[in-house]
Amino acid sequence: MVIPSLIEHKRDGGALRPEQWAELIARYTAGEVPDYQMSALLMAVVWRGLGPEELAALTDAMLASGDRLRFDGFERPRVDKHSTGGVGDKVSLVLAPMVASCGVAVPMMSGRGLGHTGGTLDKLESIPGFRTGLSLRETRAQVERIGCAMLGQTPEIAPADKRLYALRDVTGTVESIPLIAASIMSKKLAEGLNGLVLDVKTGSGAFMPQPERAIELARTMIGLGEARGCPTVALLTAMDRPLGRACGNALEVEESIEGLRGGGPEDLMEVTYALGAEMLLLVGAAADREDARRQLREAVDSGRALETFARIIEAQGGNPAVIEDPGILPQARAVEVFRAPRSGIVSAVEPRRIGRAIVELGGGRRTVEDEIDPAVGFVITVKPGDPVRAGEPVASVFAGDENGIALGLAALGEAVTIGGEARRTPLISHRITAAGVEILGQGR
Ligand code: URA
């Protein structure tokens, strides 16, 4: 296999054959193809796209790069959720323990921060001691015991995605429907699921900002899932403003705990309940949507969901005392309030600007080798449409030093726009299944 020829072929609009994708991915995973060649090929895919046969071949090659979770003899239905990536999107941390507390198993494999978006693994690892590199055996045992494990790609499971994901994060090769679809579905199909719910983000902070493109991404992933025996449903949710208030790894863990306690920002909880209801329905664990929501609410109100999260943390080496004392989480050395520069209606809180600022503050990666600072980020208490008065505190910056504070305040100055028309897409706009697209348009 002559890799430069494959890159040129793809660059010039050609298609690689399934056996070429299989060999390429196997050799890349084995460390026999250098990152610089794979980066060039990924960029060619960003520009040229993949036909259905190529996409299927890439997904299957990535899936075949590792082992799969096997749950032979395990009775409980298994379901998972995956987001296409957002800012302030800590839904997984609230949702996984909630759904697991309703008697359904959630073997959840997530990713790290990608581009300007945050990642569940980085968030979880801000809990002192928390380990996301579980083996297959550990994962299965934990899912059987607690109903949920929250892990990352490892050399055993989805290793191709582990390497490609890290490479795409720092090479401007995230925004591509086939690359996102293959990344997500190769991980999820390795989990041995009975159903998968996708949270496909749309709006300026999403990888696919246009709703039509987000729907195309959803349909692509649903097609891959259904063709491989995994019933798959997607909700399109808003990412034209950050979800919830906290943006940044440790800050988001704190807000997730608040959500599991029954508090939590309204938008975060609405998206969480909607996805949770889809998960329970998909595997037949609820009679209807109302019953699903009732079960989820009861899991929170009874304290079972929070207790499940504490058990997950403990099982994965983390300090469960964080539930009672979020002060255990890494704390920013410098904190500063951002005040509204004028009175008026908030017209935008631009998530991409906030996400990029978190990376600049050290909360995300600029190179594959970067260590992140889990304490940095923002808490933004206003949403588009909210009235504010000049001088009113609307956000806080959490940084490592005074330079970081200056950078964070400047980012907020650009991201938070006051005056003009507030544009806000519906929080949950569409439901997409193999049968078609349903317009929901609910929530603000
Ligand atoms: N989530 C993933 O797992 N992969 C992507 O490419 C984007 C979001």
Side-chain angles (χ1 to χ4, degrees), residues 26 74 83 90-91 109 116 141 205 238 240-241 246-247 296 302 317 319 332 340 348 363 373 396 415 418 422 427:
F74 180 58
S83 156
K90 70 280 295 172
V91 167
M109 199 187 320
H116 64 280
D240 57 349
R241 66 270 189 184
C247 305
L296 293 163
S302 65
N319 185 351
D373 180 348
S396 301
I418 298 167
L427 187 60

Side-chain angles (χ1 to χ4, degrees), residues 119-403:
T120 300
L121 300 181
D122 292 330
K123 291 168 204 187
L124 289 170
E125 286 178 2
S126 70
I127 300 170
F130 198 103
R131 201 166 57 83
T132 58
L134 303 185
S135 68
L136 283 172
R137 187 142 33 126
E138 282 175 307
T139 304
R140 177 172 167 143
Q142 187 174 317
V143 169
E144 288 188 1
R145 193 158 44 88
I146 304 175
C148 180
M150 302 179 82
L151 64 150
Q153 315 95 317
T154 70
E156 258 186 324
I157 183 160
D161 185 56
K162 184 178 169 70
R163 291 202 60 198
L164 288 169
Y165 191 99
L167 192 60
R168 289 170 57 224
D169 181 30
V170 293
T171 54
T173 52
V174 176
E175 279 97 340
S176 149
I177 288 180
L179 293 181
I180 296 174
S183 163
I184 292 179
M185 296 311 290
S186 67
K187 279 193 285 288
K188 298 286 137 173
L189 291 165
E191 289 176 350
L193 299 175
N194 304 111
L196 172 64
V197 176
L198 297 165
D199 179 4
V200 179
K201 301 293 185 192
T202 177
S204 55
F207 290 129
M208 294 298 139
Q210 307 300 334
E212 307 74 42
R213 296 276 289 159
I215 289 172
E216 190 186 334
L217 174 59
R219 296 187 91 145
T220 304
M221 292 190 285
I222 289 168
L224 287 170
E226 298 274 342
R228 285 156 186 77
C230 179
T232 306
V233 171
L235 294 182
L236 227 66
T237 71
M239 190 36 67
D240 57 349
R241 66 270 189 184
L243 187 62
R245 294 185 283 260
C247 305
N249 296 302
L251 296 165
E252 293 189 43
V253 171
E254 191 168 344
E255 189 164 274
S256 304
I257 293 169
E258 201 186 315
L260 284 163
R261 263 189 212 297
E266 205 181 312
D267 57 348
L268 168 68
M269 297 315 290
E270 181 47 35
V271 171
T272 306
Y273 277 108
L275 291 163
E278 293 293 343
M279 290 167 81
L280 295 185
L281 285 169
L282 194 58
V283 293
D288 52 29
R289 207 165 298 279
E290 203 179 309
D291 177 41
R293 282 184 168 255
R294 184 196 53 71
Q295 288 190 49
L296 293 163
R297 212 168 304 113
E298 206 271 323
V300 172
D301 292 348
S302 65
R304 275 187 291 119
L306 188 62
E307 190 189 319
T308 301
F309 191 43
R311 292 182 70 202
I312 295 166
I313 295 172
E314 189 164 29
Q316 296 190 217
N319 185 351
V322 71
I323 299 286
E324 297 304 328
D325 179 11
I328 287 172
L329 291 164
Q331 302 293 313
R333 285 185 289 279
V335 182
E336 185 65 63
V337 169
F338 174 81
R339 295 175 188 278
R342 68 185 72 84
S343 299
I345 302 291
V346 176
S347 51
V349 180
E350 184 44 60
R352 207 172 267 259
R353 184 69 192 92
I354 296 297
R356 287 211 183 107
I358 294 172
V359 176
E360 287 163 23
L361 287 170
R365 295 172 189 79
R366 278 177 271 210
T367 70
V368 172
E369 292 80 22
D370 275 356
E371 291 278 323
I372 63 163
D373 180 348
V376 302
F378 299 91
V379 173
I380 305 169
T381 50
V382 287
K383 298 278 176 194
D386 288 350
V388 290
R389 273 174 291 105
E392 181 184 333
V394 294
S396 301
V397 184
F398 296 76
D401 56 25
E402 288 309 315
N403 286 341

